[in-house]
Amino acid sequence: MENTKLSPLQLFALLVLFQLGTALVVNLGMEAREDAWIAVLCGMLIGCLLYMGYAYLYITFPDKLPTQYMRLLLGKYLGGIIGLAYILFYMNKSSRDLLDGGLLVFVSTLKETPLFIINTVMMLAVVYVLHKGIEVLARTAFILLWIVFVIGIVILFMLLFSGIIDFTRILPVLSDGFKPVLKSVYRQNYQFPFAEIICITMVMPYLNNKKAGVRAGLISVLLSGMILSGTAVITISILGVDIAERSIFPLLTMVGKASIADFIQRLDILVVMVLIIGDFFKIAIYFYAAVIGASDLFKIPYRKILYPLALIVLFTSITISRTYSEHVKKGGDVLYIMDPLFYVILPAGLVIAALIYRFRTRRKSGTRIS
């Protein structure tokens, strides 16, 4: 482990930017159509419950990485295999998010630039910051979070004063009942982006205040959920469900319609800035979780394993899909089939094992005292 300490505010900044990341890019909750915002809020509540499970493991083993307490709870070999599975899982997620960021830049601004070049530049930026350490990444997140909030407020006022918002487009509420909302929550919203914060368990051992850090993480989930839900409301109110559902980058399309007296317009670049910042931190945190886990599991110094794994993530991001539609389809298949294993099933097993471990530890200590 690195000899660094993070403040609760820095963890809060990392988590907010991580959750906003690619969630602002895609059609979040659109299976529920006009009620997408309700699906996001429901997903947020389930995400809070999952986060408390992840936090319990951290509180039980505050000075250990997940790859360490997995081996302690499940044994050297089984725990090592599950730890390796999580490392590969995090690398796959970082490569997919790298492709998301590259495609966003390619479609919105650099249409003549090869995708490989865009992804390489983004990955170099991630590796440079992580080479400096997780503390540098956390400090950067705290600064950039304020910039994102300011840009968000500017965009919100622009949309409000443009007069293009029609809240009747989200009505009637629950016109088809609660079933479409539950389907959207089950298939997407509780996992993406809320359950994805499981990778932050690789960062939490560096906190300098355990209780305040756990509270900051929970608040970040609530805040991110409200921001994403509000974004869904405004997107549908401007574009309508059908256009928002078909749009590749609905937030970009929505802001492109904002204009005040034909003088202030074309705020697309601000949206691109926000999305690149969020995607950068999502790639960085997933990749850091993979690197620090591999470093612990294989007993290789952190900075020595950083660059080889970066090359694997970079080339995977180019070869993982041939088209954007294929990329989205594969992502959906993974989200529905594989992700619950890493977000819910395995963590639930670890929580049960941790409860048994604590019970046995207390029983042994009580026997010794008597």
Side-chain angles (χ1 to χ4, degrees):
M1 287 177 60
E2 294 183 77
N3 187 25
T4 56
K5 289 295 179 183
L6 306 181
S7 71
L9 280 176
Q10 289 173 334
L11 181 74
F12 172 82
L14 283 171
L15 275 171
V16 170
L17 291 174
F18 176 86
Q19 289 171 92
L20 295 182
T22 51
L24 285 171
V25 177
V26 300
N27 301 309
L28 194 62
M30 281 300 167
E31 285 192 35
R33 295 183 65 79
E34 293 89 349
D35 301 315
W37 63 278
I38 300 176
V40 173
L41 289 178
C42 292
M44 175 197 73
L45 294 176
I46 297 174
C48 288
L49 293 176
L50 292 173
Y51 172 78
M52 294 310 296
Y54 307 153
Y56 174 78
L57 292 171
Y58 161 65
I59 292 170
T60 306
F61 305 101
D63 300 319
K64 294 185 182 296
L65 293 168
T67 48
Q68 294 173 328
Y69 61 67
M70 284 175 189
R71 283 173 284 170
L72 178 64
L73 293 173
L74 304 176
K76 179 180 177 181
Y77 296 106
L78 179 58
I81 291 171
I82 293 176
L84 178 61
Y86 266 102
I87 290 167
L88 296 175
F89 178 71
Y90 292 149
M91 288 181 65
N92 176 263
K93 286 294 184 180
S94 60
S95 66
R96 292 192 62 83
D97 288 328
L98 180 59
L99 179 56
D100 280 331
L103 286 170
L104 170 68
V105 175
F106 176 79
V107 170
S108 61
T109 53
L110 303 177
K111 296 182 180 180
E112 302 299 324
T113 305
L115 184 61
F116 178 75
I117 301 300
I118 298 172
N119 286 8
T120 299
V121 172
M122 292 181 70
M123 200 63 203
L124 283 173
V126 169
V127 171
Y128 174 77
V129 175
L130 291 183
H131 180 83
K132 298 295 182 182
I134 187 63
E135 192 172 2
V136 174
L137 182 70
R139 289 175 180 175
T140 306
F142 186 72
I143 295 170
L144 291 179
L145 181 62
W146 288 105
I147 296 175
V148 168
F149 280 159
V150 170
I151 292 175
I153 292 170
V154 170
I155 291 174
L156 179 60
F157 275 104
M158 275 288 299
L159 294 172
L160 290 173
F161 287 113
S162 294
I164 58 175
I165 298 179
D166 181 6
F167 288 113
T168 60
R169 288 175 175 155
I170 66 169
L171 299 175
V173 176
L174 297 176
S175 59
D176 297 321
F178 214 74
K179 187 175 179 180
V181 174
L182 291 177
K183 182 179 179 182
S184 179
V185 171
Y186 170 73
R187 289 176 63 85
Q188 182 189 57
N189 297 119
Y190 85 91
Q191 300 176 56
F192 177 75
F194 305 110
E196 291 186 319
I197 60 173
I198 189 173
C199 63
I200 211 69
T201 54
M202 287 287 191
V203 178
M204 294 177 82
Y206 302 112
L207 281 169
N208 59 15
N209 188 321
K210 182 167 65 175
K211 291 183 178 179
V214 170
R215 285 197 299 270
L218 184 60
I219 293 170
S220 77
V221 177
L222 293 170
L223 177 62
S224 300
M226 288 187 285
I227 291 173
L228 292 171
S229 179
T231 302
V233 168
I234 295 174
T235 301
I236 294 171
S237 299
I238 293 175
L239 300 179
V241 174
D242 294 330
I243 297 176
E245 203 170 17
R246 292 195 303 267
S247 177
I248 297 177
F249 300 119
L251 185 64
L252 204 61
T253 305
M254 173 185 71
V255 175
K257 292 180 175 291
S259 173
I260 298 179
D262 293 327
F263 176 68
I264 301 176
Q265 53 185 338
R266 298 298 299 173
L267 294 180
D268 310 44
I269 189 61
L270 293 180
V271 177
V272 174
M273 284 177 60
V274 170
L275 297 180
I276 289 176
I277 290 171
D279 192 61
F280 169 84
F281 281 97
K282 194 157 190 179
I283 297 166
I285 295 172
Y286 263 136
F287 184 58
Y288 177 81
V291 172
I292 200 69
S295 175
D296 171 66
L297 199 61
F298 299 110
K299 307 304 178 188
I300 301 174
Y302 166 75
R303 287 176 176 82
K304 285 189 177 180
I305 204 171
L306 181 67
Y307 297 99
L309 293 186
L311 287 174
I312 294 174
V313 168
L314 174 61
F315 283 101
T316 303
S317 72
I318 301 300
T319 58
I320 198 170
S321 300
R322 290 171 295 180
T323 63
Y324 182 76
S325 57
E326 183 184 351
H327 170 60
V328 172
K329 185 181 183 303
K330 285 184 177 180
D333 293 340
V334 170
L335 197 67
Y336 310 143
I337 300 170
M338 185 174 293
D339 285 8
L341 173 66
F342 291 95
Y343 294 149
V344 182
I345 298 172
L346 290 176
L350 288 171
V351 168
I352 294 170
L355 287 168
I356 296 171
Y357 175 84
R358 290 187 71 172
F359 175 76
R360 287 181 175 177
T361 304
R362 288 176 180 176
R363 192 173 179 180
K364 286 181 180 178
S365 61
T367 304
R368 288 174 185 171
I369 293 173
S370 61

